[in-house]
Amino acid sequence: DQEQVDKEMSAEVQRILQKLRGEFEVARLSEQSLGETIMRMEERVVAISRGEISLRQLEREAQTARQTYEALLSRLTDTRTQERMQTSEARMIERATLPVTPNAPRPKLMAALAGSVVFAVVAVAVFLTEMTATTFRSAGEVRSETGLPVLAALPDGRWDGPRACLDALRDDPYAPFSEAMRKLRTRLMMRDEYAISTSAVVLSSIPGEGRSTVALALADMAVRAGRSAIVVDCDLREMGIGQQMGWWADHDLADVLAGVARVEDAICQPADTGFDVLVNARPHPDVAEELTAMALKPVIEQLKTIYEVVILEGPALLAAADSIIVAKAADSCIYVVEHDRTERSAVQDGLGLLHEMQVPIEGVVLNRVPAGT
C-alpha cells in the first residue's frame, strides 16, 4: 500500500511539474511577443516623428512659396493698373537749342552712381552669404535650427591647448570666457537641485571642436563652486586628455572595465588642478569595439558616489559609434558646436542619433566665438 501511495504521489508531482513547464513556456512566449510588439511600436514612433519633422518642413516651404506668389500677384496687379491709367499727353514746350558747353563728363554724378553700385553689390553679396551659410554664426541660429537651448557661447581665447585654457581661468577668473563657463556650470548644477551628484557627457559632431577644453574647464569651475569633480576620458581609441596635459597613470578606464584594476587605482590626481581625472594609459581600440552601456554605467555610478560632478568626454559622435554608448551611461549630454566651422548638416545628423537613442540633451555650447560677435 505504501508503495502504491508513493507511486501516485510521484505521478501527481510529475503532472504538476509538467503543468508548470507548460505555463512557463506560455509566459516565455508571451514575453517574447510583447518584446517584439514594443520594438515595433518604438520603430513606428521614430518613423512618425521623422514624418512630422518632414511635414513641418514642407509646410514652412509651402507657406514661403504662397507668400512669394501672393507678393508677385499683387505686384502684377499694380503694374497692370498703372499701365491702364497712363495716357499720352505729350506736347512741345519749346524748341530745342544747341548746347554751347560740354555736357559730359560729370565727375560728381559718376562718382555718386559708382558708389551706389558698389554699395548695392556689397549688400547683395552680404545677403547671399547669410542666406547660403552652411555653418552656425550666432546662438540664435543654433536655437532656430536645433530647437535646443544654447547653454553658453564661449569666446575664442586662441589657446594652444586645454592647459593654456585652464591657466587663463586661474589668471583671470572674471574674463568673458570665465563668465561663460560659470554660466554653463550653473545650468548643469541647476538641472536637479536635489541630486547629490550628477554626470554629464561632452560630445560634438566631429573631432577638434573643443570637447576636452570644455570638459576640463567645466570641472575646474565645479571645483571653484565647492563641488568635488572628476573628468573621465571615454575616448578609448586615443590617449586624449592625458597626452595633451601630460598626465600619466598605471591603470585606466579600460583596466577598470576589464576587471584588472579598481576604480580607485585608476584615478589620477594632478598636482596642478583641483579636480581628479581618469585618463587613458594607452589606446584601447579593442575595448572600444566591445564597450557597452551596461558595462560603463556601473563605473559612472560608482564615481558618482565619490564625486559630486562627473564629466565624461566622449569621442566625436559621427566618427565613433561608441560615443552613443558613453552618452547612454551619463545623466545628460552637453553638445559642443564650433562657431562658423561645424556644418549644420553634421550637427543635425549627430543630434538625430541622440534623439533616436533617447539620450537626454541638456543643450548646445557654441564654442570659439570671435570677440564682438
Side-chain angles (χ1 to χ4, degrees), residues 223-238:
V223 171
R224 293 174 185 270
R227 304 293 184 92
S228 59
I230 185 172
V231 176
V232 183
D233 189 353
C234 296
D235 190 354
L236 299 175
R237 290 179 170 82
E238 300 179 357

Side-chain angles (χ1 to χ4, degrees), residues 305-325:
T305 63
I306 305 174
Y307 302 93
E308 294 174 278
V309 179
V310 179
I311 307 297
L312 313 178
E313 186 202 352
L317 195 59
L318 300 183
D322 48 305
S323 55
I324 290 291
I325 296 173

Side-chain angles (χ1 to χ4, degrees), residues 7 18 21 53 83 102 105 168 174 176 195-196 239 255 309 355:
K7 290 182 179 180
Q18 186 66 27
R21 289 193 187 97
I53 294 173
E83 289 179 351
Y174 298 102
I196 299 176
M239 299 287 286
D255 294 333
V309 179
H355 283 304

